[in-house]
Amino acid sequence: MISTFSRVWLLLVFTTLLAVPVTAAEDDAGSIFIEGYTNQLSYQPGEKIQFHLNSSEPQYSIEITRLGAENKTVYKETRQNGAAHPVPEDASSNGCHWPAAFELTVPDSWASGYYSVRLAVRDGGGKFIQRNSRSAESSLFFIVRPQQPGSQTKILIQLSTNTYNAYNNWGGSSLYSYHGRNHLQGHRVSFDRPLAGQFSNWEYPFIAWAEQNGYQLDYAANSDLEFHPEILQHYKLVLSVGHDEYWSAPMRDHLEQYIKQGGNVAFFSGNSVCWQVRSEDDGRALTCWKQWYNQDPVFPTDDHSTLTTLWSHHLVNRPENQLTGVGFLYGGYHKSHGQFMDGSAAYRVHRPEHWIFEKTGIKQGDEFGGKDTIVGYECDGCQFVMQDGLPVPTHKDGTPKTFQILATCPAKWAPGDSLWYDRFEKDRVGAAVLGMYTNGGTVLTVGSTDWAHGLRGKDPIVQQITRNVLDRLSK
């Protein structure tokens, strides 16, 4: 996102799992705590997970559950080796450096997926009672990649783990000043610290619906596109869902090459590929200077291709439109940040004859998705003009020549957002744009973070469009 993060929706089932843990450094003396992180974001069966934990009590419980259409607990244990460790002052940027409490080898039987880890402690001999009293719990997660990529499905979902980290202010600062310590904005964030993420708001509703409707998915982290790009060759369709905001140049390079070679991508997401980051420490940290790009060590050099600021910034000159078809520069907010707060939150259809609308019965000018606010929070669009009553891209913003606009909804930047660019038309009204282009492979974008909310709400048109995309682009 570009300005203040204003809305977090949590499923009731995750209220406990995603509770922000109280750290030893921040809690009152004598209270109890447990928190932790793993040494990697994703693993294949046979690899060892290292759990780095910080606990006030020697005895703690751990419960691992794969989240999907059915939440399946795959591991439970009570251990006796809990220990307290200091939280470094620079934990948010350089990690906690806690020792590994134990290791667990991923069994061959664990399916590819998102695994939530629940940690819990209680005071000696006491009962679990009110949180922040004499018991405490927290959560962490890891991803299991398939042992044989593409052998069970041709659809890969890469989770927005870079975005999770960008918003994580545990231990000091995130990449945002509004909730950093002393309102300081960080420019480097480490994965070696507790991290809950945003999975429940967008990706979980999509995944639960997909599994309920017979679609099997393989899973990966954002960074797997950078460090394990060979995985892509095994799939017909790669998915981005929800809020997939922070991308490194290698991630983007590898996915664009995949598309040129005939691979398909569906961005069921918005504010996508907005900021460029650089991975450091073998993927255990991200650097992004954002609006302070002139402090990035890359700035004084002659090569700005990896400058960690907006992909659409003229110094980088690689707008996300070239990959996704759309971008935040010509989108903005709808029913958030004070923009279009009384808006329809629905897409208006322009080209109902397109195959994406098959079996929906929808007609030109019809709207859909408003009940579940599928156009909401942050939106991506493109520059277009009206010809014969239909929107047509100008292609001046990097949108590919074959991009076709299928549906739109008004969106607008919040006041002051134009300061993030030095070449921007203030107070411009843009649009969330649902569209598609082909350049070797086919790329769909829905232009909104909140598409998955229509699946959660069982909107029949949102569901049918999603089926059409998954069925056609995965074969």
Side-chain angles (χ1 to χ4, degrees), residues 38 55 79 98 134 215 276:
T38 57
S55 175
R79 298 182 62 87
W98 297 335
R134 299 310 305 162
Y215 296 99
Q276 177 165 215

Side-chain angles (χ1 to χ4, degrees), residues 183-423:
H183 298 287
L184 293 177
Q185 179 177 328
H187 63 82
R188 190 181 197 269
V189 286
S190 174
F191 284 103
D192 289 332
R193 57 180 177 146
L195 171 65
Q198 303 173 358
F199 177 81
S200 67
N201 194 27
W202 293 293
E203 290 148 324
Y204 177 74
F206 187 99
I207 287 164
W209 175 88
E211 292 187 357
Q212 289 165 0
N213 285 270
Y215 296 99
Q216 184 172 345
L217 309 175
D218 279 351
Y219 293 70
N222 271 159
S223 55
D224 289 322
L225 297 188
E226 177 170 353
F227 296 100
H228 299 285
E230 69 281 355
I231 196 174
L232 292 172
Q233 64 183 305
H234 300 285
Y235 299 95
K236 297 290 186 182
L237 175 62
V238 175
L239 302 179
S240 163
V241 174
H243 197 193
D244 202 0
E245 185 176 1
Y246 289 83
W247 281 56
S248 68
M251 285 175 59
R252 185 168 173 177
D253 292 343
H254 295 147
L255 193 66
E256 289 181 346
Q257 184 63 29
Y258 165 82
I259 295 167
K260 289 179 181 178
Q261 293 174 347
N264 303 317
V265 180
F267 287 94
F268 290 107
S269 53
N271 195 210
S272 305
V273 199
C274 183
W275 297 102
Q276 177 165 215
V277 298
R278 289 195 302 272
S279 295
E280 299 181 352
D281 295 347
D282 297 322
R284 297 304 295 168
L286 299 175
T287 288
C288 190
W289 288 88
K290 302 184 75 172
Q291 73 271 40
W292 308 110
Y293 59 88
N294 60 343
Q295 297 184 42
D296 189 329
V298 169
F299 179 73
T301 71
D302 294 331
D303 182 4
H304 292 147
S305 61
T306 61
L307 188 69
T308 58
T309 187
L310 293 155
W311 283 102
S312 295
H313 196 283
H314 74 276
L315 290 177
V316 179
N317 195 28
R318 195 179 176 186
E320 60 266 35
N321 303 56
Q322 295 173 353
L323 168 58
T324 68
V326 294
F328 198 81
L329 184 58
Y330 283 89
Y333 306 104
H334 188 94
K335 294 187 84 70
S336 72
H337 297 76
Q339 307 307 307
F340 293 102
M341 299 306 294
D342 58 350
S344 68
Y347 281 107
R348 174 164 293 182
V349 175
H350 301 294
R351 293 176 170 86
E353 71 281 358
H354 194 276
W355 63 259
I356 197 176
F357 298 118
E358 289 178 358
K359 299 180 183 179
T360 64
I362 208 161
K363 300 178 178 62
Q364 185 172 348
D366 286 353
E367 295 187 346
F368 69 94
K371 174 180 70 70
D372 298 298
T373 315
I374 66 167
V375 183
Y377 189 36
E378 296 185 329
C379 308
D380 292 332
C382 64
Q383 187 183 52
F384 63 83
V385 295
M386 300 299 293
Q387 294 181 3
D388 299 323
L390 294 174
V392 177
T394 66
H395 309 294
K396 295 178 181 179
D397 55 357
T399 296
K401 294 296 184 181
T402 59
F403 188 79
Q404 191 172 33
I405 298 174
L406 306 177
T408 60
C409 180
K412 187 180 180 181
W413 279 31
D417 280 347
S418 58
L419 299 178
W420 294 70
Y421 289 88
D422 59 358
R423 299 179 182 180

